[in-house]
Amino acid sequence: MKYVLAAAATALLFAPAALATEISIGYSADFEKSLDDDYGTREGTYLAGKIEQDLMREFESAGLDVDRVLVTIERAVPSKPTFKQLGDTPGLDYGDSVSIGGMKLTATAFDASGAEMGSLTYDWFENDIRQTGLTTWYDANKASDRFARKFAKKLQSKS
């Protein structure tokens, strides 16, 4: 039994360490104003978390060794009213209110030496109101997912 444990410990020492990608997500001045005035600041935190999750998933899936990524949310539009919008507008109905949403993002990836690996500007906004979803950021979530896939594919093709 102790030989199995020793072998497992030795294998762990020689296994490549999982590299953590640092993802910094910021907002354009216009989007930051939209968060403050219209959507609520917690919505920016939600979107940043979704973008980070999507990028990490796609980078891992593609086997990319990205040290750092800088992302800017240039614009985001919800598919349904945010919590702040509901509070600011009495009579607004979350269930019946739908809109065409989406998101525009820019990003730059860097390797461990600080050299730029690639950059991408991507936007996607739903164009059919019948296709919008049941959640506040449904269309923006689609944009985030598509952005992460496209960015990972672009970085993978350069390596």
Side-chain angles (χ1 to χ4, degrees), residues 2-79:
K2 68 179 175 180
Y3 295 113
V4 172
L5 291 174
T10 304
L12 284 175
L13 286 174
F14 293 105
L19 298 174
T21 301
E22 177 189 332
I23 300 176
S24 299
I25 300 173
Y27 314 121
S28 70
D30 288 342
F31 183 61
E32 192 160 10
K33 183 170 176 22
S34 294
L35 287 173
D36 291 339
D37 296 347
D38 301 324
Y39 305 142
T41 55
R42 79 183 207 163
E43 305 300 333
T45 303
Y46 168 79
L47 289 171
K50 175 69 169 123
I51 294 163
E52 182 175 1
Q53 178 186 11
D54 289 344
L55 284 172
M56 293 299 284
R57 180 193 67 235
E58 293 304 319
F59 289 173
E60 184 177 324
S61 175
L64 290 168
D65 185 11
V66 178
D67 185 63
R68 187 170 49 99
V69 181
L70 301 176
V71 180
T72 302
I73 301 174
E74 302 291 342
R75 180 171 177 242
V77 178
S79 306

Side-chain angles (χ1 to χ4, degrees), residues 40-144:
T41 55
R42 79 183 207 163
E43 305 300 333
T45 303
Y46 168 79
L47 289 171
K50 175 69 169 123
I51 294 163
E52 182 175 1
Q53 178 186 11
D54 289 344
L55 284 172
M56 293 299 284
R57 180 193 67 235
E58 293 304 319
F59 289 173
E60 184 177 324
S61 175
L64 290 168
D65 185 11
V66 178
D67 185 63
R68 187 170 49 99
V69 181
L70 301 176
V71 180
T72 302
I73 301 174
E74 302 291 342
R75 180 171 177 242
V77 178
S79 306
K80 295 188 125 317
T82 66
F83 188 73
K84 181 178 182 337
Q85 289 174 316
L86 289 169
D88 289 349
T89 311
L92 186 60
D93 183 1
Y94 183 82
D96 288 336
S97 298
V98 293
S99 153
I100 293 174
M103 191 161 41
K104 179 179 182 181
L105 302 155
T106 58
T108 305
F110 300 91
D111 65 16
S113 70
E116 184 177 319
M117 296 174 68
S119 61
L120 178 69
T121 297
Y122 180 81
D123 71 332
W124 184 85
F125 292 86
E126 182 58 70
N127 58 17
D128 185 348
I129 194 85
R130 296 170 296 172
Q131 298 300 316
T132 197
L134 300 173
T135 63
T136 302
W137 294 104
Y138 182 81
D139 295 328
N141 288 341
K142 273 183 167 178
S144 174

